[in-house]
Amino acid sequence: MSEAVAESKLTRKDFVSDQEVRWCPGCGDYAILAQMQKVLPELGIPRENIVFVSGIGCSSRFPYYMNTYGVHSIHGRAPTIATGIKSANPDLSVWVITGDGDGLSIGGNHLLHSLRRNVDLKILLFNNRIYGLTKGQYSPTSLQGHRTKSTPMGSIDYPLNPISVALSAEATFVARTQDTNTKHLSMVLQRAAEHKGAAFVEIYQNCVVLNPTAWDHTTKADVRDDNIVFLEEGKPLIFGKNLDKGIRMNGTEPEIVSLDGDITEDELVVHQEGRENASYAYMLSRMEYPSMPLPFGVLRSVDKPSYTDMMFDQVEAAVEAKGAGDLNSLFNAGDTWVVD
Amino acid sequence: MSEAVAESKLTRKDFVSDQEVRWCPGCGDYAILAQMQKVLPELGIPRENIVFVSGIGCSSRFPYYMNTYGVHSIHGRAPTIATGIKSANPDLSVWVITGDGDGLSIGGNHLLHSLRRNVDLKILLFNNRIYGLTKGQYSPTSLQGHRTKSTPMGSIDYPLNPISVALSAEATFVARTQDTNTKHLSMVLQRAAEHKGAAFVEIYQNCVVLNPTAWDHTTKADVRDDNIVFLEEGKPLIFGKNLDKGIRMNGTEPEIVSLDGDITEDELVVHQEGRENASYAYMLSRMEYPSMPLPFGVLRSVDKPSYTDMMFDQVEAAVEAKGAGDLNSLFNAGDTWVVD
Amino acid sequence: MAETVASSASADKQEPREEERQSVVIVFSGDSGDGMQLTGDQFTNTSAILGNDVSTFPDIPAEIRAPAGTIPGLSGYQVNFSSTELYTAGDSPQVLVAMNPAALKANLPDLDSGGTIIVNTDTFNRNGLRKAGYESNPLEGEGLSGYDVHQVPLTTLTRNALEDIEGMSNQEKDKCKNAFALGLVFWMFDRPIDFTMKFYETKFASRPEVVESNSRVLKAGYYYGETAETFQTRINVPSRQAVESGVYKRLTGNEAIVLGLVTAAQKANKPLFYGSYPITPASTILEGLAALKNFDVRTFQAEDEIAAMGSVIGAAFAGTLAATASSGPGIALKSEAINLAVVMELPMLVVNVQRGGPSTGLPTKTEQADLLEVLFGRNGESPIPVLAPATPVECFNMTIEACRIAIRYMTPVFLLSDGYVANNSEPWKIPDPALIEPIEANFRTDPEGYQPYMRDEKTLARPWVVPGTPGMEHRIGGLGKQDVTGNVSYAPEDHEHIIRTRAQKIAGIADYIPELEVTGPEEGDLLVLGWGGTYGAIRAAVEQVQGEGLEVARAHLRHLNPLPRNLGNVLGRYKQILVPELNLGQLAFLLQGHFPVRVIKLNKVQGRPFQIREVADKIREVLR
Amino acid sequence: MAETVASSASADKQEPREEERQSVVIVFSGDSGDGMQLTGDQFTNTSAILGNDVSTFPDIPAEIRAPAGTIPGLSGYQVNFSSTELYTAGDSPQVLVAMNPAALKANLPDLDSGGTIIVNTDTFNRNGLRKAGYESNPLEGEGLSGYDVHQVPLTTLTRNALEDIEGMSNQEKDKCKNAFALGLVFWMFDRPIDFTMKFYETKFASRPEVVESNSRVLKAGYYYGETAETFQTRINVPSRQAVESGVYKRLTGNEAIVLGLVTAAQKANKPLFYGSYPITPASTILEGLAALKNFDVRTFQAEDEIAAMGSVIGAAFAGTLAATASSGPGIALKSEAINLAVVMELPMLVVNVQRGGPSTGLPTKTEQADLLEVLFGRNGESPIPVLAPATPVECFNMTIEACRIAIRYMTPVFLLSDGYVANNSEPWKIPDPALIEPIEANFRTDPEGYQPYMRDEKTLARPWVVPGTPGMEHRIGGLGKQDVTGNVSYAPEDHEHIIRTRAQKIAGIADYIPELEVTGPEEGDLLVLGWGGTYGAIRAAVEQVQGEGLEVARAHLRHLNPLPRNLGNVLGRYKQILVPELNLGQLAFLLQGHFPVRVIKLNKVQGRPFQIREVADKIREVLR
Ligand SMILES: Cc1ncc(C[n+]2csc(CCOP(=O)(O)OP(=O)(O)O)c2C)c(N)n1
Ligand SMILES: Cc1ncc(C[n+]2csc(CCOP(=O)(O)OP(=O)(O)O)c2C)c(N)n1
Ligand code: SF4
Ligand code: SF4
Ligand SMILES: [Mg+2]
Ligand SMILES: [Mg+2]
């Protein structure tokens, strides 16, 4: 009943909490927050059934600004708390907000395991390639050579590719989008929400204060079209300002070809997000700047039973097999004896 | 000097410690221990320069039995300790021994990060698809449906593929081998030892007590040849008892073909472990039983500067730029004033 | 019932002497593959059914199945059975069943002088002796002259009994030799074999050949006692008198926690969520609960202890009764997340089954050295109630009590068990579940005037509001906050206020828990004060010295935080306070920190429980 | 030098009154983009160079850069400068420089009545007032009537001063307004601008236009003071007399730890390995060390605190001086691995820069609530030495001392700093590195008779043998072990022996550390006993009440484990003991646990240091 009412009425404003937003002016987090508040009313989920869980970081303040249930937890552990929430009440729509440090550094393992279990969580990783909240140390996605407070001579770590990591964690839904591309962002958020099972979304997010140029190659009007390929189901991989470049397989590896007439669209890789074998999506994930365009959109989306579905199936099966638990017979099971 | 002496003299026995080996009779760990003790003398590394570091688990007792330096540390953290050791003394040959629980459950994140940093460690993951030491709970590599002490109705987790995980962690050397295939095992250990940078080796290991049938498909004489494809550099992927089956690409995915004359070896995938793009190795890693043969051997081996090499390069560069550190000038740097 | 076998026994040999004893301690010891745990269980169950009090303690090999025949490979089972009430599994055995030389070597030092030894002579060959580290055969020579040794070729006799079974390998036959030993011991103590026969029938229902072979060997063992000249005495331990009537079964501490958790969830009318990562000696709680899914129990084997703790916090936030358990290293790992639970003020149970520390320590051994850790092992001022059951069976009630406190006061609660309590078993009078008081666990659903950190006047608990409740959306976390609103706040007064309020809330639980009960003189020279799993040894020791006429009082702390209201008063009434504990003096330190007393310490850090005599000796020394 | 500017000043207005004060506390407050830290630093440095004692405390916004103009977005810098010795950055300021309405609003409550306020009137527009939460303009009306308010259109004046610079946007110009404020304050306190001019030249050497603009505005501010009618008084704080001669510089606690670690490594003749995970307020140690690679410093930013701790253990095992630092949640996470270090008995330093807890708590605020955690927050009996520096500068020596103890006794050592000590700065008399005693850190290389856990007779330390040493291969880990051989052992006696030996080793460090010094009467009515970063407030308070004629003694604990040998004796000499601490009474509890005393507690948990008056008031109350 309350659902019906809620559904019909909710607007963007219903999702704005009473807390003052405290990110730096211009921070990419604002755009993501705005899109989220716009997308949620469209999903038809009663507001009280939505929970945002985050770790620690600038991005992790997100739940405070959403007028839903929320937990601002501890560094890196949001997926574990979200797993508990979902196991307690599978009807909830549970979103995890994390950063490149929170999700891939201290929290990398929980990300891995919540994805592989296919817990029905929507995990949004705000990737700004820096530790924002602690004021500018490098993160696992910072490029080699990046000079930060903790790497004055440049980072010597090879960066992680969040999409590759998610895929090797057996993720059933993997996507990439960007703070400033509001349309694409809102499409991807919607797709993630609709996915049954774990959904992982990498969002390129601009930290205007500590790492403002990190995503220039995907935002500056003059270069971004050459550096992004937008994935669309069933469509060939075409990109470039004039849509004149495509991706073709050369053996086991992709290559860029110009669509100059000699080469036709038929030869190009056609995007299929539903492939059971994750190799294709992984191959896409290895397309990296500057040698290849970065894939944006849904790289992979396959259906598999979610963790909590299976968990509750087992509970039901157990009840069916043994009857609903009865304390008296539990207490009296096994070797008992009577003293009178 | 002592090196020269050591080198010329070492035999297998030199690597046997005085501790009684305490695995269950028949445990696959014995075979791995024996191969290790056989391979090490051949590497020409002075015994005192070798360190074994492990976490906790049956497999993690390994260091006690090696007459080298060793740390039997805490659950899941061996890669972190090994990283510290290597950073203290880059001349050491540092081996990490871990299990499927130790390395992929509690320790998954450290594995990920030590691999991506390309710390020059040799990481051997003994995969028996079970928690041995704690007596039989399921592990992250246990198959779905596996009934164990903690999953009496069968596990509902999707298993991790250790090789895929290592590849998404940017590992520069990734291999798979098996306890019982002593020749192959010793070849792979040798290759790992020779690799400059992080080497990850998955070793199928039989827990005879708690999960004895886990690897039947790769050990039983009647089936194993159909279930394993041995990778050899520059050679096509051929397998089967009569070497009559091969792997060919079909678009972006591999397929099995019979080499019945119609199809020739030229059409098959030719193994190249040195490909910069990890997609190929990842594709191999997704070949899983029963639909495809399991790749054994070195899936990937590429050369990149190791973490400690870069760490010491920076130290050297700093010394070159600023001179070897002098406390007096350090103390007196910045804004000082004199009181007389 | 006992007659069935007894009467059918032939009387070829001279009628054995019957001796009556008040209690006997037996140790069964053999290779981990020898079935010693099952053997001990069967003997214990039969004794319990006959009306003895029983207390058992398994000695399971550390970690890995070590080579057969060696000392590290031993699996032992100690059972104490008695015609009076028992408090421990016994200081030292009077009877040792040694399935191989290693078993003899390892257990002999503990055996009472003059004790009875049954050895399987078939294993005393060169190989067996070498593995045990014997230079020469201890059965030859004078080494065992002070004991009553029975040399029985157990393996041979077992094979003989099964000779005519076709298609059964010697290896399979040898697996039955524990049944022979059991039968023999049943005869020795004049116990019927019926219950075990029935057990075989149920347990191996699907494999009649196994039932047949075991039953046969069991009987053979029994008749061997009857027949063999070597056994001249039968020992009889009469039934206990005046035992409360009812249905009983044996329970270990971990089994009791499993039952307690399921009961608490049912009584609170909530699903049970249990998130945990396997670790000795806590894993059996996870395993026990995983088998009870029909009680709407949701078990989650997490990737590590931190994840387990996180999942429990999430499940508590979303409205289940949530619990976890761990030990040693795992508890240390959970500490950061536990602190989040403290700040979020959510109800949940954290069980610490203590083992030998520090670090990995002695995973299979017991210790009480985590008391200060659970009290203080988190950054900042972070109070958590701590309860410690004194006995295995008490784990049942105290688990329920701990859950009750957690929900009533909206706080994580520690239950501090230990390896001894977890694995030790004793009879449990099965309660009527209907008589267990319900746990009031009401979610607030009224949005009117709701604030996340508004507090109940009496308990200072904040309301439990779960996602899914319309109109009460709120966000909480680990940052400093303002009381009542729960809003993030760095204001100095807000911080101090909520820190003190939380401290006051936990301290206030003292109004809800029972006062400390003292047994013995109400004031005087000496109070022996214990906590946790040392209860049995302390009680037995005190009763012993009281029997000698010494004036000693005894009390046992089950609530370590907050401490019982009357504790200060109690402490003040005795000239001396003796605190025995399995650590270097943690409760002693705690008491001195809180009260103007100095205590005498009795400490033991050996991975083992106290022996009664160790405590009794110390009391005598203090009072001398 | 001071004359340079002063003499060039025109004398258009009436000569201002000169007033002399012993000390002054100024707060500079503005948006985090306003350059307040730099401004404060410049003022402080100049004052120090002129011979004042100085003590500073920054108040940096919590976590994120909040919207400009709001209170959460404020960045503050408090400086106390004095002609006598200083112990704190001052209870409350006498001068407030408020760059916007929020700065005024946030700091006004702390300002001394009659204090001086300089405001940038350009920001007191509708928008600015709204952001600060002002309903009406506080500069109008009576609200500030008790203060000496100077309204200065800082932004306008700054733009004016830069008017003729081409190609400079207003935004860029506005960035210089802090220089105007600084110039003005320099004039007010009769300080030369030369040092800051020189600073601009060095700092912005590559951008001459920045040097030019800042210098110009700085001068403009100075001349504004000289010229404007509004300033009638100049305040003069004379130089300190009888200061030890030498070269000085200012140091925060974290800077001192950086220097201490590098020095300890050099003095031990070892590379320094520092593994850490960023966390406020410890991150600046990592950042400081990362810049010193030419000292063979190897910094490792780990994936989390556990990995950081693991790396440090590995690096210690392999022979470097190894250290880590963290705070709050990070220290909790490290606890499991620290316990491994305890059992492996390896030398390393763990710095805990305490912040407000529990859980995430107040990351940017100070607290002393982790004392019991570092002592007891690990499973099992796990003793670790704990040292706590009293002042920022003391962090240098105590870091070296902690490393010395770690190596001498082969043990991890905790250094317990806090947010106040970490960020507070004070003058440091730069020592001659050659005069710092070397740290004996010899690896054993002689295989003859070597056993991994053999022990030095005096210290009970085991030998440090590093991989790479021929003939001494050995394996150690976290399992229970036998002393001397280090072999894994579950034997009861082995466990008890090594646990007690380890406890004895750590307790024995009491022979190596200094005894507790008492200032004031040697016995009597009251001893005020503090620890850690509360030193300054306690000392100042005690000296204050002593000045009033009260008989009070004072002592400060820098060694929390083991405690100084003479502590029990000292405590016994006073009728009352007052323990002020920034927690709910952790040292008080510790003392009572160890010694037969009851103490009076003064606790504050507000994320802030003590004010001198809070401690002084309490002393008066106790002695009344
Ligand atoms: C256990 C623990 N370790 C460290 C910290 C300090 N810390 C807070 S956020 C953060 C990293 C933030 O980076 P990221 O996740 O990328 O988020 P961003 O601020 O960039 O959005 C760190 C190291 C902490 N709060 N808790
Ligand atoms: C922090 C911590 N958690 C849990 C344990 C208990 N534990 C020891 S080994 C192990 C898993 C072992 O499995 P695996 O790594 O696969 O090794 P295996 O025994 O199979 O070789 C666990 C859970 C522990 N020792 N420490
Ligand atoms: S520091 Fe960066 S990520 Fe954090 S709020 Fe500011 S702009 Fe955003
Ligand atoms: S339990 Fe399994 S893995 Fe462990 S020693 Fe025995 S056979 Fe090996
Ligand atoms: Mg980030
Ligand atoms: Mg395993």
Side-chain angles (χ1 to χ4, degrees), chain A residues 104-106 108-109 112-113 116-118 140 144 153-154 156-161 164-165 167-170 249 252-254 275 277-280 282-283 286 304-305 307 310-311 314 317-318, chain B residues 104-106 108-109 112-113 116-118 140 144 153-154 156-161 164-165 167-170 249 252-254 275 277-280 282-283 286 304-305 307 310-311 314 317-318:
Chain A
L104 288 173
S105 193
I106 192 167
N109 205 34
L112 199 79
H113 285 274
R116 82 158 171 109
R117 292 190 190 106
N118 203 26
Q144 226 183 17
M153 300 178 73
I156 59 175
D157 294 26
Y158 299 93
L160 282 176
N161 179 325
S164 298
V165 171
L167 287 168
S168 78
E170 314 292 331
M249 290 307 289
T252 60
E253 283 178 33
R275 297 202 195 174
N277 189 328
S279 297
Y280 163 69
Y282 188 86
M283 177 269 284
R286 304 314 289 183
K304 293 196 182 178
Y307 187 77
M310 291 184 280
M311 174 183 261
Q314 288 202 338
Chain B
L104 288 173
S105 193
I106 192 168
N109 204 35
L112 199 78
H113 285 275
R116 83 160 170 109
R117 291 190 190 104
N118 202 26
Q144 225 183 17
M153 301 178 73
I156 59 175
D157 293 26
Y158 299 92
L160 282 177
N161 179 324
S164 297
V165 171
L167 287 168
S168 77
E170 315 291 331
M249 291 307 288
T252 61
E253 282 177 34
R275 297 202 196 175
N277 189 329
S279 298
Y280 163 69
Y282 189 85
M283 178 269 283
R286 304 315 289 183
K304 293 196 183 178
Y307 187 76
M310 291 184 280
M311 176 183 260
Q314 288 202 339

Side-chain angles (χ1 to χ4, degrees), chain C residues 48-370:
Chain C
I49 292 168
L50 293 187
N52 292 136
D53 198 5
V54 293
S55 178
T56 73
F57 189 60
D59 190 5
I60 291 168
E63 309 177 19
I64 332 180
R65 207 180 275 189
T70 65
I71 290 181
L74 288 177
S75 169
Y77 189 106
Q78 177 164 325
V79 48
N80 191 356
F81 57 109
S82 167
S83 55
T84 58
E85 195 177 349
L86 282 179
Y87 309 126
T88 76
D91 276 11
S92 52
Q94 291 88 50
V95 180
L96 166 63
V97 180
M99 302 298 281
N100 62 25
L104 179 65
K105 187 160 190 197
N107 291 287
L108 195 60
D110 288 336
L111 193 65
D112 275 2
S113 60
T116 302
I117 301 173
I118 300 172
V119 290
N120 177 5
T121 49
D122 289 329
T123 58
F124 281 68
N125 48 28
R126 251 189 56 200
N127 193 22
L129 293 168
R130 187 185 47 78
K131 281 193 188 153
Y134 273 122
E135 308 268 299
S136 64
N137 190 340
L139 304 180
E140 298 156 8
E142 291 300 290
L144 300 178
S145 59
Y147 302 93
D148 174 24
V149 182
H150 302 276
Q151 303 197 12
V152 185
L154 275 170
T155 315
T156 311
L157 293 170
T158 300
R159 289 191 191 172
N160 288 351
L162 299 173
E163 206 168 19
D164 57 336
I165 300 199
E166 285 194 12
M168 198 179 183
S169 67
N170 272 348
Q171 210 186 338
E172 284 165 334
K173 288 177 183 166
D174 290 355
K175 280 208 174 145
C176 298
K177 65 180 182 292
N178 64 329
F180 196 100
L182 180 58
L184 179 53
V185 177
F186 272 146
W187 180 87
M188 274 184 69
F189 291 95
D190 200 0
R191 251 108 245 259
I193 62 172
D194 313 35
F195 302 109
T196 298
M197 298 282 273
K198 210 175 283 159
F199 166 79
Y200 289 152
E201 276 160 31
T202 328
K203 164 122 187 169
F204 305 116
S206 60
R207 289 183 293 162
E209 72 288 0
V210 179
V211 178
E212 167 64 14
S213 55
N214 273 293
S215 307
R216 245 209 242 186
V217 175
L218 182 72
K219 278 187 211 154
Y222 193 94
Y223 294 138
Y224 179 82
E226 193 97 342
T227 323
E229 291 295 322
T230 161
F231 292 92
Q232 307 298 343
T233 328
R234 280 182 102 167
I235 298 163
N236 178 24
V237 176
S239 300
R240 254 174 98 192
Q241 300 302 312
V243 181
E244 232 184 303
S245 69
V247 183
Y248 284 78
K249 77 174 182 191
R250 285 197 307 127
L251 227 47
T252 64
N254 277 2
E255 287 164 358
I257 290 174
V258 168
L259 295 181
L261 280 172
V262 173
T263 305
Q266 299 265 314
K267 289 289 162 179
N269 211 1
K270 299 272 170 287
L272 176 67
F273 177 88
Y274 184 82
S276 188
Y277 186 70
I279 189 166
T280 307
S283 312
T284 48
I285 302 175
L286 169 63
E287 293 161 11
L289 287 169
L292 299 177
K293 294 205 165 69
N294 59 325
F295 284 82
D296 199 0
V297 171
R298 304 158 193 185
T299 56
F300 170 60
Q301 180 177 314
E303 58 271 27
D304 63 15
E305 286 85 355
I306 298 173
M309 195 63 223
S311 71
V312 163
I313 293 172
F317 180 71
T320 65
L321 176 63
T324 187
S326 191
S327 185
I331 293 291
L333 283 171
K334 283 178 199 282
S335 58
E336 190 215 1
I338 293 175
N339 233 354
L340 177 64
V342 167
V343 172
M344 288 177 71
E345 302 191 35
L346 286 169
M348 67 198 72
L349 184 66
V350 183
V351 180
N352 179 356
V353 187
Q354 296 165 98
R355 65 190 214 183
S359 194
T360 310
L362 307 178
T364 56
K365 306 288 177 185
T366 196
E367 203 163 282
Q368 296 186 298
D370 299 354

Side-chain angles (χ1 to χ4, degrees), chain B residues 74-223:
Chain B
I74 44 178
H75 201 30
R77 319 301 176 187
T80 71
I81 291 167
T83 298
I85 291 173
K86 192 78 191 172
S87 304
N89 183 352
D91 295 337
L92 300 173
S93 167
V94 184
W95 297 73
V96 170
I97 306 292
T98 185
D100 41 329
D102 190 67
L104 288 173
S105 193
I106 192 168
N109 204 35
H110 307 305
L111 185 70
L112 199 78
H113 285 275
S114 53
L115 290 176
R116 83 160 170 109
R117 291 190 190 104
N118 202 26
V119 186
D120 188 9
L121 309 173
K122 314 303 151 205
I123 304 178
L124 312 184
L125 187 141
F126 293 19
N127 185 1
N128 56 14
R129 292 191 157 166
I130 199 81
Y131 285 3
L133 188 61
T134 48
K135 310 209 155 120
Q137 300 83 11
Y138 79 115
S139 91
T141 57
S142 296
L143 297 180
Q144 225 183 17
H146 193 184
R147 282 170 203 264
T148 68
K149 282 194 182 163
S150 55
T151 54
M153 301 178 73
S155 156
I156 59 175
D157 293 26
Y158 299 92
L160 282 177
N161 179 324
I163 300 276
S164 297
V165 171
L167 287 168
S168 77
E170 315 291 331
T172 53
F173 181 99
V174 179
R176 178 188 279 145
T177 182
Q178 181 144 20
D179 53 3
T180 46
N181 192 337
T182 50
K183 252 203 180 144
H184 192 260
L185 172 58
S186 95
M187 177 278 286
V188 169
L189 292 180
Q190 189 127 5
R191 286 289 313 276
E194 285 159 3
H195 180 71
K196 274 293 287 172
F200 176 81
V201 181
E202 179 189 18
I203 307 178
Y204 286 1
Q205 174 250 331
N206 193 7
C207 171
V208 293
V209 172
L210 298 163
N211 201 16
T213 59
W215 303 121
D216 278 0
H217 56 292
T218 61
T219 52
K220 296 242 149 143
D222 51 338
V223 293

Side-chain angles (χ1 to χ4, degrees), chain D residues 186-372:
Chain D
F186 273 147
W187 179 85
M188 274 184 70
F189 292 94
D190 199 1
R191 253 108 244 258
I193 61 172
D194 313 33
F195 303 108
T196 297
M197 299 281 273
K198 210 177 282 161
F199 166 79
Y200 290 151
E201 276 159 31
T202 329
K203 166 122 187 170
F204 305 115
S206 60
R207 290 183 292 163
E209 72 287 1
V210 178
V211 177
E212 167 65 13
S213 56
N214 273 292
S215 307
R216 242 208 245 188
V217 175
L218 181 72
K219 278 187 211 155
Y222 193 93
Y223 293 138
Y224 179 82
E226 193 97 341
T227 321
E229 291 293 323
T230 162
F231 293 93
Q232 306 298 344
T233 330
R234 281 181 102 166
I235 299 163
N236 179 25
V237 176
S239 300
R240 254 174 98 193
Q241 299 301 314
V243 182
E244 233 184 302
S245 68
V247 183
Y248 284 78
K249 78 174 181 189
R250 285 196 306 127
L251 227 47
T252 65
N254 278 2
E255 287 165 357
I257 290 175
V258 167
L259 295 182
L261 280 172
V262 172
T263 305
Q266 298 267 313
K267 288 290 163 179
N269 211 2
K270 300 274 170 284
L272 176 66
F273 178 88
Y274 184 81
S276 187
Y277 186 70
I279 189 166
T280 306
S283 313
T284 46
I285 302 174
L286 169 63
E287 294 162 10
L289 287 168
L292 299 177
K293 294 205 164 70
N294 59 324
F295 284 83
D296 199 359
V297 172
R298 303 157 193 186
T299 56
F300 170 61
Q301 180 177 315
E303 57 270 29
D304 63 15
E305 286 85 354
I306 298 173
M309 195 63 223
S311 71
V312 163
I313 292 172
F317 179 70
T320 64
L321 176 63
T324 186
S326 192
S327 184
I331 293 291
L333 283 171
K334 283 178 197 284
S335 58
E336 188 214 2
I338 293 175
N339 233 353
L340 176 65
V342 167
V343 172
M344 288 176 72
E345 302 191 32
L346 286 170
M348 67 199 73
L349 183 66
V350 183
V351 180
N352 179 356
V353 187
Q354 297 167 98
R355 65 189 215 182
S359 194
T360 309
L362 307 179
T364 55
K365 306 287 176 184
T366 196
E367 202 163 284
Q368 295 186 299
D370 299 354
L371 174 58
L372 295 176

Side-chain angles (χ1 to χ4, degrees), chain C residues 392-430:
Chain C
V393 156
E394 226 174 71
C395 288
F396 176 74
N397 289 325
M398 292 202 76
T399 297
I400 300 173
E401 186 188 353
C403 294
R404 203 183 291 279
I405 290 174
I407 292 172
R408 183 177 158 92
Y409 290 90
M410 289 291 283
T411 175
V413 173
F414 260 113
L415 188 76
L416 208 47
S417 178
D418 63 49
Y420 178 77
V421 167
N423 293 316
N424 197 352
S425 83
E426 52 173 23
W428 178 50
K429 180 165 180 289
I430 298 173

Side-chain angles (χ1 to χ4, degrees), chain A residues 20, chain D residues 30-31 61 66-75 100-103 105-106 131-133:
Chain A
E20 209 180 324
Chain D
D31 262 332
T70 65
I71 289 180
L74 288 177
S75 169
N100 63 25
K105 186 161 190 192
K131 282 192 188 153

Side-chain angles (χ1 to χ4, degrees), chain A residues 20-25 30 56-58 61 65 73-75 77 101-102 105-107 131-135 137-139 149-153 157 209, chain D residues 60-68 70 72 131 277-280 283 286-288 290-291 293 299-306 329 333 359-360 364:
Chain A
E20 209 180 324
V21 185
R22 289 199 189 164
W23 289 306
C24 306
Y30 283 99
I56 301 284
C58 292
R61 310 229 31 169
Y65 310 136
S73 76
I74 44 177
H75 201 29
R77 318 303 176 187
D102 189 68
S105 193
I106 192 167
Y131 284 3
L133 188 61
T134 48
K135 310 207 156 124
Q137 301 82 12
Y138 79 114
S139 91
K149 282 194 182 164
S150 55
T151 54
M153 300 178 73
D157 294 26
V209 173
Chain D
I60 290 168
E63 308 176 21
I64 333 178
R65 206 181 275 190
T70 65
K131 282 192 188 153
Y277 186 70
I279 189 166
T280 306
S283 313
L286 169 63
E287 294 162 10
K293 294 205 164 70
T299 56
F300 170 61
Q301 180 177 315
E303 57 270 29
D304 63 15
E305 286 85 354
I306 298 173
L333 283 171
S359 194
T360 309
T364 55

